[in-house]
Amino acid sequence: MPTLAIVGAGPGMGLAIARTFGSRGFDVALIARTKRKLDALTDQLRQEGVVAAAFPADVLDRPSLTAALEAAQARFGTLDVLEYSPAPHSPVPGFTTVPPSEVTVENVQPQIEYTFYGAVAAARAVLPAMREAGAGTLIFTTGGGSVHPIPMLGNVNAAAGALRNWTLNLHNELTGSGVYAVHVAINTWIGEGGPEGIPAATPEQIAPLYWDLYERRDRSELVFNG
């Protein structure tokens, strides 16, 4: 069976993407910091008939992330799709949001570690096997500020923009290899309770786009505007 690995799995987008692929015959490896949350998600997926397993890891701890992906590959035999979309829904030490004029090395470095370096580590863990197999899909998700920067998120957008640039270039490098890299920028509020006047969409509305990207494998970028 093909396998999807989700780095940053949670009860919103992560679960929706897992269901989208799981309902189409994929096994699912879920990776996030909190084992209790992962166990709840895997139980939910299993009740829906999806083969799923949890692999706790912190994207800020790159050796633990690499080990989790290696364990997932050993468990399932192959990782065919990697989806990277960690989002700090709970406070993370050192994380602040500032406008561009207030960006410093100190407040942008944690964002780069989380968004960009974690993605690079995840890709390096799975890419060699994908290249050897001549098939695979790497999907890296950020907010829409990676394409259309928002002043209040000056340091966050800088890190997301770095990931976008690297992903597009990785896509170029992998041309003809059978492995595809694509960046997804979600330029809407996900779920309910967003600011007035800001477009919103549910995870269930967004997740099918990931399946379309996997099936088509012909583009390097998607911006979802709702």
Side-chain angles (χ1 to χ4, degrees), residues 15 18-19 28 30 35-54:
L15 180 59
R19 283 172 166 159
V28 179
L30 300 176
K35 185 178 185 299
R36 183 173 61 181
K37 177 178 71 175
L38 289 176
D39 288 343
L41 294 176
T42 54
D43 287 346
Q44 191 168 349
L45 288 168
R46 288 168 183 164
Q47 290 173 17
E48 297 172 10
V50 178
V51 176

Side-chain angles (χ1 to χ4, degrees), residues 96-108 151-156:
T96 57
T97 59
V98 296
S101 63
E102 296 180 17
V103 168
T104 64
V105 171
E106 289 73 24
N107 63 38
V108 77
M152 66 180 290
L153 301 175
N155 54 344
V156 176

Side-chain angles (χ1 to χ4, degrees), residues 77-152:
T78 180
L79 296 180
D80 302 273
V81 180
L82 169 72
E83 195 279 321
Y84 183 91
S85 57
H89 296 295
S90 56
V92 176
F95 273 38
T96 57
T97 59
V98 296
S101 63
E102 296 180 17
V103 168
T104 64
V105 171
E106 289 73 24
N107 63 38
V108 77
Q109 186 64 37
Q111 303 292 343
I112 292 173
E113 294 274 353
Y114 191 85
T115 300
F116 183 35
Y117 293 168
V120 171
R124 289 183 62 84
V126 303
L127 187 52
M130 288 182 175
R131 275 181 148 159
E132 184 176 351
T137 302
L138 306 164
I139 305 175
F140 302 96
T141 304
T142 67
S146 59
V147 180
H148 304 293
I150 303 168
M152 66 180 290

